[in-house]
Amino acid sequence: MMAQPLQRFATNIGVRNAAAATLCRSTAIRSLGTLSCKTTTTIRLNNHHRSIHSTNINYNDSSSIIDDDDDTTTTTKHHILHNDPTNSHLISNDPSTIKRHFRTRLTSTKQTSLLGGGHARIAKQHARGSLTARERIDLLFDDQSFRELDALVTHRCQDFGMQEDESTIIPGDGVVVGHGLIHGRRVYCFAQDFTVYGGSLGESHAKKIGKVMDMALRVGAPVIGLNDSGGARIQEGTDSLAGYADIFQRNVDASGVIPQISVVMGPCAGGAVYSPAMTDFIFMVD
């Protein structure tokens, strides 16, 4: 059973006779600092020894294994190279480190999504007497009943500075979608966030709206759109226009099948008013 793995291992290190190779597995000790290591492994092969050098170990240890056949010992030594920037990427080989970095990144991205366009734009929205998309959803749905979908979706546009830095790639892409309960009844909803690119609709933004409309149609539940958008996102060109075409088609497909309710909550233009015009009920705020 071990012949094939040993053969592959021997081939990789240049050893011809895999059956005589002894593999050494040592217990990894997690490193709390930015360390990288160099290991020297001695492999016994027909009474000959060969040293193998590797740079993919990121812990400090010295281990050995005894060959049951001839009681010889293979020793692995790990030499620490402190703060070596050229090998700092080797830390990522540790599964626990990968998980820790992933959790940190996930938490940060979620927090960014909740803030939308950021504190400054939220303050500006409040200054003109308007609420944010999330604040509107909190008021509309029963307490703790709303379940958000695709909160971390971002746009894919590469043009016009849309990928310059993290400030131009905002998780959620300017719309909050999901479902919840209103007086105990299931309702689907999307709320455009004016603090993110003026609530403009791009490809990913449109796909999120289309997804929640499809879900409402499948279960026969009402869909509510809280519109606060300047229309198509000009940076994404025809991708934005195609997104509105998909939404219009869903408006037509859902007409007479489920209730479609639109609320115009800001200075909307373009598709942000064309789509509401095809829904069953339209409300406007001062």
Side-chain angles (χ1 to χ4, degrees), residues 2-13 15 17-26 41-45 52 63-68 72-76:
M2 292 296 293
Q4 292 182 356
L6 286 172
Q7 184 64 53
R8 287 196 296 270
F9 176 82
T11 301
N12 290 336
I13 64 175
V15 178
N17 188 353
T22 301
L23 303 181
C24 177
R25 292 184 180 179
S26 57
T41 303
T42 302
I43 295 179
R44 179 176 177 80
L45 177 62
I52 309 302
S63 58
S64 63
I65 188 168
I66 298 176
D67 189 335
D68 292 334
T72 57
T73 301
T74 300
T75 303
T76 301

Side-chain angles (χ1 to χ4, degrees), residues 244 248 251 269-279:
Y244 265 127
F248 297 160
N251 288 137
V273 291
Y274 301 152
S275 176
M278 291 188 284
T279 60

Side-chain angles (χ1 to χ4, degrees), residues 173-174 193 196-202 205 228-235:
D173 202 36
D193 188 353
V196 180
Y197 291 115
S200 59
L201 183 139
H205 184 124
D228 193 359
S229 168
R233 187 176 299 165
I234 193 170
Q235 292 95 329

Side-chain angles (χ1 to χ4, degrees), residues 111-127:
Q111 292 174 346
T112 303
S113 176
L114 293 175
L115 285 175
H119 292 292
R121 293 178 183 175
I122 291 174
K124 188 175 181 179
Q125 184 84 342
H126 289 164

Side-chain angles (χ1 to χ4, degrees), residues 14 19 55 66 85 97 122 130 141 164 217 245 247 266 269:
T55 56
I66 298 176
T97 303
I122 291 174
S130 297
F141 284 88
E164 284 186 355
L217 194 58
I247 292 174

